Amino acid sequence: MNKQEYETKLLSTSYPKQDPYGALSIPVYHALAYEFETAEEMEAAFCGWTDEHTYSRITNPTVQYFEERVKRVTGAYGVTALNSGMAAISNTLITLAWSGSNLVTSRHLFGNTYSFFVNTLKAFGMEVRFCDLTRPEEVAESIDENTCAVFLEIITNPQMEVANLEGLSNVAHDRNVPLIADTTIIPFTAFHAADFGVDIEVVSSTKYISGGATSLGGLIIDYGRFDQYRAPALKALAGSAQSPFHTRLRKEVHRNLGAYMTPDVACMQTLGLETLQIRFDRQAVSCMDLALKLQTLSKVRMVNYNGLENNPFYEVSRKQFGDYPGAMLTFDLGSREECFAFMNKLKLIRRATNLFDNRSLIIHPASTIFGSFTAAQREMMNVEETTIRLSVGLENVEELFGDICQALG
Ligand SMILES: *Cc1c(COP(=O)(O)O)cnc(C)c1O
């Protein structure tokens, strides 16, 4: 699909049942339960013989419409919308894992993802194996018959490391292990994870998709191509469904964990989806422009953006994500004190966490997102005291650069 087709597709999915008033946008169904004409119809819906709605923890028309639109844009087999990116990650892992299984991943992870793996999953008898995902040999050595998945972030934050997905998926698939990718940082309109061997994509739709930081959300996008799952509960489903993963997720795990997206959020995120491509294009082009401009400043010791030719991941990033690898960059100043002084002088760029708001946001990761980790843990995760992270918004890029220059003094 080319860019123009995405722009149109993002806007043109109609909803399945005609609204009595002919509403052009899908109504927000604040309904919790759904009524049936007969006990037989009720039985059929509850037993899954029809796909009528029964209860909004399981499905809701507004949320389902959002899922359908993502499905249409990505070409996925199954899409599940949850109430945060963390819910998407935890539901995915709980569907794949079993007690005694292990997960192969890297230490370069979003802070809560790392904590979920090493603290929460551990309590259920799961082992987490860290390796350098840019070295497929290391990954191959870490996988054994109890590995439930290989998990990675397509661009790590704030290290900006990029693994070769095709290489990694070959290693994982050779050993019958699925590759799970957190693709939050580049939306699916710009990066087609399945083309690079990713089996299941997880996304914090809180970021680009919510459309201006309106709401928390998460997506699990299953391409339905992997069926060699090792979890006993998934093996039991093999053959009976195209995707044992999607079946177990929808019929068991997501119902039991109860983290389905709410209809208001689905409405906001459907609107966000409609402008996703345009916002991403503009923000990513501005980010590249700022990365080049920042390199010319003497007080900036280093700029880390995969779109720069001097970046160690430039080639692999270009192959996977194209010329504009997202709208987040990091840069280093001389010291933590210099970082704080600089941030305090900014007038236009906001001091806030989050990524891909319409406004540009700045944060010092070591003292905030990674503030509760020990210095030794931060060092292991390559989170430096001198690094500042910038998420580039929709403002005029000259004014953004002007703000940075005045704050650097
Ligand atoms: C923000 C983020 C998450 C968590 O998403 P929430 O919606 O805040 O739960 C997970 N992974 C990445 C890469 C993120 O940036």
Side-chain angles (χ1 to χ4, degrees):
M1 216 181 317
N2 64 33
K3 208 157 120 181
Q4 286 78 8
E5 283 174 311
Y6 271 122
E7 285 168 357
T8 304
K9 203 161 225 178
L10 286 169
L11 289 159
S12 62
T13 306
S14 57
Y15 51 92
K17 285 193 179 167
Q18 189 54 48
D19 177 68
Y21 304 103
L24 188 54
S25 302
I26 192 165
V28 180
Y29 286 95
H30 275 289
L32 178 61
Y34 304 81
E35 191 182 12
F36 295 87
E37 293 287 330
T38 66
E40 287 77 11
E41 283 174 37
M42 198 166 178
E43 178 192 30
F46 274 76
C47 295
W49 307 330
T50 62
D51 44 18
E52 298 299 323
H53 302 282
T54 58
Y55 189 67
S56 283
R57 172 163 35 74
I58 300 166
T59 57
N60 167 283
T62 313
V63 183
Q64 196 172 60
Y65 177 64
F66 175 57
E67 292 171 334
E68 278 304 313
R69 290 186 65 161
V70 173
K71 199 169 146 179
R72 184 143 187 258
V73 172
T74 56
Y77 168 77
V79 173
T80 302
L82 297 158
N83 61 22
S84 69
M86 285 316 302
I89 292 168
S90 53
N91 272 264
T92 299
L93 264 296
I94 290 170
T95 304
L96 293 169
W98 68 96
S99 174
S101 63
N102 66 69
L103 173 69
V104 173
T105 187
S106 136
R107 278 188 202 281
H108 295 170
L109 290 171
F110 178 72
N112 287 113
T113 305
Y114 180 83
S115 172
F116 172 64
F117 290 168
V118 302
N119 300 317
T120 314
L121 286 181
K122 198 170 159 191
F124 296 91
M126 256 201 86
E127 183 199 342
V128 184
R129 298 182 175 175
F130 294 110
C131 55
D132 180 348
L133 297 179
T134 65
R135 294 170 32 106
E137 326 81 76
E138 241 185 70
V139 178
E141 279 167 25
S142 302
I143 294 176
D144 65 19
E145 68 280 7
N146 288 324
T147 302
C148 72
V150 173
F151 181 99
L152 88 163
E153 293 174 12
I154 54 167
I155 301 179
T156 71
N157 159 14
Q159 306 86 4
M160 314 289 270
E161 180 184 274
V162 181
N164 177 333
L165 291 167
E166 269 173 322
L168 211 53
S169 78
N170 287 339
V171 167
H173 293 163
D174 278 351
R175 313 287 297 272
N176 283 339
V177 170
L179 179 65
I180 318 299
D182 179 334
T183 62
T184 301
I185 216 152
I186 312 255
F188 38 68
T189 47
F191 166 62
H192 312 143
D195 294 351
F196 295 90
V198 171
D199 300 297
I200 298 164
E201 207 176 334
V202 291
V203 185
S204 167
S205 56
T206 310
K207 312 289 164 56
Y208 278 120
I209 297 167
S210 77
T214 60
S215 48
L216 275 166
L219 290 165
I220 301 173
I221 303 171
D222 172 26
Y223 289 94
R225 296 189 313 198
F226 190 87
D227 59 4
Q228 307 294 312
Y229 294 102
R230 294 199 175 128
L234 293 173
K235 264 192 190 158
L237 291 166
S240 68
Q242 179 181 337
S243 170
F245 171 82
H246 186 69
T247 304
R248 182 179 190 205
L249 172 68
R250 292 309 294 238
K251 297 220 179 297
E252 178 201 331
V253 176
H254 129 82
R255 299 178 181 199
N256 295 350
L257 294 182
Y260 199 44
M261 186 175 271
T262 57
D264 304 271
V265 169
C267 172
M268 287 189 272
Q269 301 211 350
T270 301
L271 273 178
L273 196 63
E274 294 184 350
T275 57
L276 175 64
Q277 174 86 9
I278 300 173
R279 287 183 288 109
F280 175 74
D281 281 355
R282 157 104 182 190
Q283 287 175 250
V285 168
S286 293
C287 188
M288 177 64 137
D289 197 2
L290 280 177
L292 291 167
K293 287 185 159 82
L294 278 164
Q295 280 189 320
T296 66
L297 301 177
S298 60
K299 287 195 176 147
V300 174
R301 289 200 324 193
M302 190 194 45
V303 181
N304 199 355
Y305 181 61
N306 300 130
L308 294 174
E309 281 178 40
N310 62 12
N311 189 280
F313 299 104
Y314 174 74
E315 289 299 338
V316 62
S317 168
R318 184 143 189 248
K319 184 162 162 253
Q320 293 175 171
F321 315 126
D323 290 338
Y324 299 98
M328 185 195 92
L329 59 77
T330 70
F331 57 96
D332 281 62
L333 299 180
S335 64
R336 173 192 167 103
E337 292 68 33
E338 267 182 57
C339 292
F340 276 38
F342 161 75
M343 287 176 61
N344 289 340
K345 283 194 214 130
L346 289 168
K347 294 187 174 125
L348 177 62
I349 300 172
R350 312 300 184 94
R351 289 170 290 272
T353 189
N354 197 21
L355 293 169
F356 320 129
D357 192 324
N358 293 338
R359 292 157 292 200
S360 295
L361 308 178
I362 204 144
I363 195 164
H364 179 255
S367 63
T368 54
I369 302 168
F370 297 92
S372 62
F373 291 91
T374 63
Q377 281 173 318
R378 278 198 295 270
E379 199 178 310
M380 255 184 336
M381 298 167 97
N382 300 93
V383 176
E384 309 286 342
E385 290 285 351
T386 51
T387 303
I388 289 176
R389 182 183 92 184
L390 175 65
S391 166
V392 180
L394 293 168
E395 302 94 337
N396 177 282
V397 72
E398 295 302 332
E399 288 192 55
L400 288 172
F401 187 59
D403 194 31
I404 291 170
C405 290
Q406 70 76 24
L408 280 173

